[in-house]
Amino acid sequence: MASIDNTDHDNNTDTTGSAPQRPGDDAGVRAATEAALLDAFGGVLGMVETTVPGLIFVVIYTINHDIKSSALAALALSVVLGVARLVRKDTLKHAFSGVFGIAFGALFAMMSGNAKNFYLPGMLYTLGLGVAYVVSAAAGFPLLGLILGPVFKENLSWRTRNPGRLRAYTKASWAWGLILLAKSAILFPLYWWGNATQLGWVKVALGIPPFLLSVYLTWIFLVKAPAPIDVIAEMEAAEEERKAEKERAKAEKAAAEQTVK
């Protein structure tokens, strides 16, 4: 991948106490980052879940201009995709988040009688998420770190012990926030002044590309950052050390008692 910023870590070494990265570690770091991003954001199926139900809605609505049949078809497809995730034993978060989003849109559109409202819950979510990314990055507590920290088993160690990763998460959060806000800046004028068909097709077109761009930029920032500090492994090692210390104390006590006897 192209280099963007070499200030996150010099000579592949983190100055905060985590183990230095050796050149041979690059492939492992990249693979771990890719796996974490896929896990956090739902992978290819996640892109399908966020795009195809909306596509089904706009296709059917373009043909028959019937809100109910369009919404129910989109909801049925979303349920099928959710069940497919359950069959694959994916997390419940990924299995049901898409279903709930489509269900809210379908219900809102049918109750209001306005086909554009099928897309409104998702648009509001995108806007709110974009604002959250930007505000959290500006505040020095980037949202992406909260999302990916547990996936990398580093929890919040990136905030206080790994400044290189804090910078990477901040950059990535800015990228996500600005991309999502740009997407909202295109969609909301269409919601106010366009028709449902125009809004639907544009929203479908803006489904995958901004997501892929955000994930790509996140990948670039993170693979250039210092390796995550595995706090779970640290806690397990500390627990093992405590157990070993207790065993040593018992052995010493037993030896002392035996000497007295």
Side-chain angles (χ1 to χ4, degrees), residues 42-57 72-103 118 208:
V44 175
L45 187 54
M47 290 186 285
V48 172
E49 290 168 337
T50 58
T51 303
V52 176
L55 175 62
I56 293 298
F57 179 89
L72 291 178
L75 180 58
L77 175 59
S78 182
V79 170
V80 169
L81 293 173
V83 171
R85 278 199 180 274
L86 292 178
V87 171
R88 292 174 48 179
K89 298 182 179 179
D90 283 356
T91 63
L92 293 179
K93 175 189 72 175
H94 292 323
F96 291 113
S97 59
V99 175
F100 288 147
I102 297 298
F118 176 80
I208 294 178

Side-chain angles (χ1 to χ4, degrees), residues 181-202:
L181 291 179
K183 180 178 176 179
S184 297
I186 295 172
L187 292 176
F188 274 97
L190 282 174
Y191 176 81
W192 291 319
W193 298 301
N195 59 47
T197 301
Q198 292 170 334
L199 175 62
W201 286 111
V202 172

Side-chain angles (χ1 to χ4, degrees), residues 4-8 137 142 166-176 221:
I4 287 184
D5 183 1
N6 292 321
T7 62
D8 283 352
L166 172 59
R167 289 192 293 270
Y169 283 135
T170 300
K171 292 177 183 178
S173 293
W174 275 113
W176 276 89
F221 294 140

Side-chain angles (χ1 to χ4, degrees), residues 25-233:
D25 294 335
D26 287 350
V29 171
R30 290 168 182 257
T33 302
E34 291 170 5
L37 289 174
L38 287 174
D39 178 71
F41 299 115
V44 175
L45 187 54
M47 290 186 285
V48 172
E49 290 168 337
T50 58
T51 303
V52 176
L55 175 62
I56 293 298
F57 179 89
V58 71
V59 166
I60 295 177
Y61 185 77
T62 299
I63 294 172
N64 63 17
H65 294 284
D66 181 66
I67 295 175
K68 184 176 181 180
S69 62
S70 305
L72 291 178
L75 180 58
L77 175 59
S78 182
V79 170
V80 169
L81 293 173
V83 171
R85 278 199 180 274
L86 292 178
V87 171
R88 292 174 48 179
K89 298 182 179 179
D90 283 356
T91 63
L92 293 179
K93 175 189 72 175
H94 292 323
F96 291 113
S97 59
V99 175
F100 288 147
I102 297 298
F104 277 122
L107 182 63
F108 198 21
M110 288 188 290
M111 290 182 63
S112 66
N114 185 348
K116 290 190 289 186
N117 285 337
F118 176 80
Y119 302 102
L120 187 57
M123 291 167 56
L124 291 173
Y125 175 78
T126 296
L127 177 61
L129 191 59
V131 171
Y133 274 121
V134 168
V135 171
S136 67
F141 210 122
L143 179 59
L144 203 64
L146 298 178
I147 295 172
L148 294 181
V151 178
F152 282 111
K153 299 181 180 180
E154 60 183 332
N155 294 343
L156 293 177
S157 64
W158 50 267
R159 283 211 78 231
T160 56
R161 300 172 57 192
N162 207 338
R165 289 189 73 79
L166 172 59
R167 289 192 293 270
Y169 283 135
T170 300
K171 292 177 183 178
S173 293
W174 275 113
W176 276 89
L178 294 176
I179 289 170
L180 293 178
L181 291 179
K183 180 178 176 179
S184 297
I186 295 172
L187 292 176
F188 274 97
L190 282 174
Y191 176 81
W192 291 319
W193 298 301
N195 59 47
T197 301
Q198 292 170 334
L199 175 62
W201 286 111
V202 172
K203 191 172 188 305
V204 169
L206 290 177
I208 294 178
F211 175 82
L212 289 180
L213 177 59
S214 300
V215 170
Y216 174 71
L217 291 175
T218 301
W219 185 84
I220 288 178
F221 294 140
L222 290 182
V223 296
K224 289 172 59 61
I229 299 171
D230 191 339
V231 296
I232 305 301

